[in-house]
Amino acid sequence: AVEMRSERKTLLWLIIGNFIYAAMVSIVGAFFFSNKISFALGVFWGSIGASIYAFHLYNSLQKSLDMDEEAAAKRESGQALIRMLIMIVVVVAGLVMREWLHPCGVIVGVFAIKVSAYLQPFFIHQSEKNA
């Protein structure tokens, strides 16, 4: 079996963590919001945006690691702007499509990347323990 590189494994578990978070928050949110489907769709939409953000960050850093420090810093400042635009598009789309995506759900879903990053060591440890 081919061993997955550690940074790819981290990205994979980060994205899996985003959707585990989205599922858990959607279930809990169902108790607090009258439009449960809209809230859950909003959370998953935000989590998709967070996953795209993570994937872009991974690819961006892979390319920047092959550059000298000055070029990498310049490139990453532009790439950070792209990631900010990704999140803005996700949130604005959530606001525009209010009949399908609850804005609170979208915002909560965007935070999936943060929660998943904190849970990352647990996921990696568990996957290595079970391997």
Side-chain angles (χ1 to χ4, degrees):
V2 177
E3 180 65 27
M4 188 184 298
R5 289 177 27 199
S6 66
E7 61 270 11
R8 278 194 177 197
K9 190 181 291 186
T10 300
L11 174 65
L12 175 66
W13 281 107
L14 190 65
I15 292 171
I16 290 170
N18 285 347
F19 291 104
I20 291 171
Y21 166 83
M24 292 171 57
V25 167
S26 293
I27 291 168
V28 172
F31 293 105
F32 299 101
F33 291 91
S34 58
N35 193 343
K36 296 162 183 26
I37 301 295
S38 174
F39 179 76
L41 288 174
V43 172
F44 278 97
W45 174 252
S47 295
I48 289 168
S51 296
I52 293 168
Y53 180 99
F55 187 76
H56 182 271
L57 180 61
Y58 169 80
N59 284 325
S60 173
L61 289 175
Q62 290 300 312
K63 291 175 184 166
S64 292
L65 287 172
D66 294 331
M67 300 176 164
D68 65 87
E69 187 177 346
E70 187 177 323
K74 187 183 282 187
R75 182 180 193 286
E76 279 309 307
S77 65
Q79 296 301 306
L81 183 63
I82 291 170
R83 287 189 293 278
M84 187 183 309
L85 289 173
I86 290 169
M87 286 294 126
I88 290 170
V89 166
V90 168
V91 171
V92 168
L95 292 172
V96 169
M97 298 188 295
R98 284 184 153 186
E99 60 272 8
W100 297 293
L101 306 171
H102 195 289
C104 290
V106 173
I107 299 298
V108 170
V110 165
F111 282 105
I113 191 81
K114 301 293 183 190
V115 174
S116 187
Y118 283 118
L119 295 175
Q120 192 64 35
F122 172 76
F123 289 137
I124 294 291
H125 177 71
Q126 289 298 89
S127 71
E128 289 173 353
K129 189 170 134 181
N130 294 331

